[in-house]
Amino acid sequence: MQGLIYYISVPFIYLLSLLPFPILYRVSDGFYFILYYVFGYRKKVVLQNLRNSFPEKPEKEIKRLCKDYYHYLSDLFLESFKTLTIGRSSMLKRCTLSPGAKDIFDRFNQEGKSIMLVMGHYGNWEWAGNTFSLLCKQKLFVVYHPFRNKYFNGLMYRMRTRFGTGLIAMKDTYKDMVRHKSMVSTTAFIADQTPSPENAFWTTFLNQDTPVFKGTEKIAQKMGYPIVYITIKRQKRGYYNILAEVLAENAKNTVDGEISELHTARLEKDIREQPEIWLWSHRRWKHKRPVEKKSFV
């Protein structure tokens, strides 16, 4: 059944990918209408997340942000498929690397240092990986969750590696980073996913108790790599710019929780500046902070 669904879907996916951008965004407008008005895809989740994150905003603005988000989600979905056929020059025109970010990556490459990137589901992270691989000298590896459908997983693998990016399954992250230690590389972690509450680092993020994966920080401390935070700003529809900021020159010199606090605070700042381009339909706050058990003597 998985194969049947894939082979029925893939011609339409490639057809969408081949559409000129003006037509692609017309199609995206139609997707928005279906997502928001017809199916209401996770609308309750999005509205609740927005209300909890921005309690100071009036309901009218919350609903406007909700609509803006679904417009953006539709664009992101189709832009991602565009990667299957987009040319190099068009990719670099649509997603640029800021001079400051390029200087940071070039410096670490010249120093022979591998680095770790931390980022969120903010902006077009798929395009950002393509641009990095096209413009930067070090090999980029992206940590990802493989799809359960092996056919669509293969499609996404081809799409994400088309410009030279490598992929690392999350369960193999540390093992593969050790294996690649001899080369100068960059490993990217999308660090705003939801871990199990018992094994998470807990912090306050967007006015809410929020669990953060400890694994990113623990791996960084073991490897002793510099930590760089990535921002992908949306300049206008279909155009992005990648910014970078060094959070730590050597993760071994940080204390537990420091890297997690730094990157979540930086991501929150970005979200407050452009809230509509973060992944609000993700159930980021489905877990509650565990109650600490009191010990009795």
Side-chain angles (χ1 to χ4, degrees):
M1 181 59 71
Q2 287 185 350
L4 178 63
I5 294 171
Y6 169 77
Y7 286 113
I8 291 173
S9 302
V10 76
F12 295 100
I13 292 171
Y14 271 93
L15 178 62
L16 289 171
S17 181
L18 290 166
L19 292 175
F21 276 103
I23 299 176
L24 187 79
Y25 288 121
R26 290 288 185 90
V27 174
S28 178
D29 291 340
F31 274 18
Y32 157 74
F33 182 86
I34 293 170
L35 275 179
Y36 186 81
Y37 288 104
V38 179
F39 292 113
Y41 170 73
R42 291 192 177 182
K43 193 187 293 187
K44 289 182 179 179
V45 173
V46 173
L47 285 169
Q48 192 60 55
N49 284 343
L50 287 168
R51 289 178 185 128
N52 292 342
S53 299
F54 305 113
E56 75 283 0
K57 293 186 183 295
E59 185 65 13
K60 184 178 179 180
E61 187 174 355
I62 292 294
K63 289 181 177 178
R64 179 189 61 80
L65 282 175
C66 182
K67 288 184 177 181
D68 290 346
Y69 167 67
Y70 279 95
H71 272 295
Y72 178 66
L73 183 64
S74 299
D75 283 359
L76 178 66
F77 181 70
L78 294 183
E79 286 171 358
S80 298
F81 285 140
K82 192 70 177 173
T83 303
L84 287 165
T85 58
I86 196 171
R88 182 183 190 276
S89 60
S90 184
M91 185 74 269
L92 295 178
K93 178 184 176 183
R94 293 273 171 173
C95 187
T96 56
L97 184 64
S98 68
K102 185 70 162 58
D103 288 344
I104 288 172
F105 300 135
D106 285 348
R107 172 171 73 85
F108 284 124
N109 184 69
Q110 289 168 4
E111 293 173 359
K113 293 181 179 178
S114 293
I115 61 177
M116 286 176 55
L117 304 183
V118 289
M119 57 195 294
H121 286 98
Y122 178 86
N124 193 326
W125 56 90
E126 300 286 356
W127 281 10
N130 297 333
T131 295
F132 184 100
S133 291
L134 286 169
L135 294 180
C136 297
K137 296 177 182 177
Q138 55 268 75
K139 174 75 173 181
L140 173 65
F141 294 97
V142 175
V143 178
Y144 82 114
H145 281 294
F147 285 78
R148 291 181 180 179
N149 185 314
K150 66 178 182 179
Y151 299 96
F152 280 105
N153 188 65
L155 179 70
M156 295 302 290
Y157 190 94
R158 292 193 298 277
M159 183 183 82
R160 289 171 169 169
T161 60
R162 184 166 169 251
F163 292 108
T165 301
L167 297 181
I168 298 176
M170 180 170 278
K171 64 181 179 62
D172 299 324
T173 303
Y174 183 65
K175 178 183 69 175
D176 281 12
M177 287 183 70
V178 171
R179 185 161 58 88
H180 299 141
K181 197 172 173 69
S182 60
M183 73 168 72
V184 179
S185 64
T186 296
T187 306
F189 292 74
I190 298 183
D192 60 351
Q193 300 179 54
T194 306
S196 61
E198 295 79 13
N199 300 317
F201 171 80
W202 284 85
T203 188
T204 301
F205 174 64
L206 291 170
N207 295 304
Q208 297 161 88
D209 281 340
T210 306
V212 180
F213 273 110
K214 286 183 180 178
T216 303
E217 182 171 296
K218 293 298 183 185
I219 291 172
Q221 290 172 331
K222 285 181 180 180
M223 303 299 287
Y225 287 168
I227 305 297
V228 178
Y229 175 80
I230 291 294
T231 300
I232 307 158
K233 292 290 186 183
R234 192 190 200 196
Q235 297 173 308
K236 59 181 180 179
R237 194 176 199 183
Y239 290 87
Y240 302 85
N241 186 40
I242 305 167
L243 307 173
E245 175 185 336
V246 180
L247 298 184
E249 290 284 342
N250 186 334
K252 284 185 176 179
N253 298 330
T254 63
V255 298
D256 288 347
E258 182 179 350
I259 293 170
S260 297
E261 288 283 10
L262 284 171
H263 76 68
T264 51
R266 192 65 187 79
L267 177 59
E268 178 171 334
K269 180 176 182 292
D270 285 337
I271 292 169
R272 291 188 179 278
E273 290 176 1
Q274 276 188 298
E276 69 277 5
I277 66 170
W278 190 57
L279 201 61
W280 292 103
S281 49
H282 175 48
R283 292 187 173 92
R284 185 68 181 89
W285 293 282
K286 63 184 178 181
H287 298 306
K288 299 297 181 184
R289 187 192 290 255
V291 177
E292 292 186 9
K293 295 179 181 179
K294 294 182 180 180
S295 60
F296 297 93
V297 180

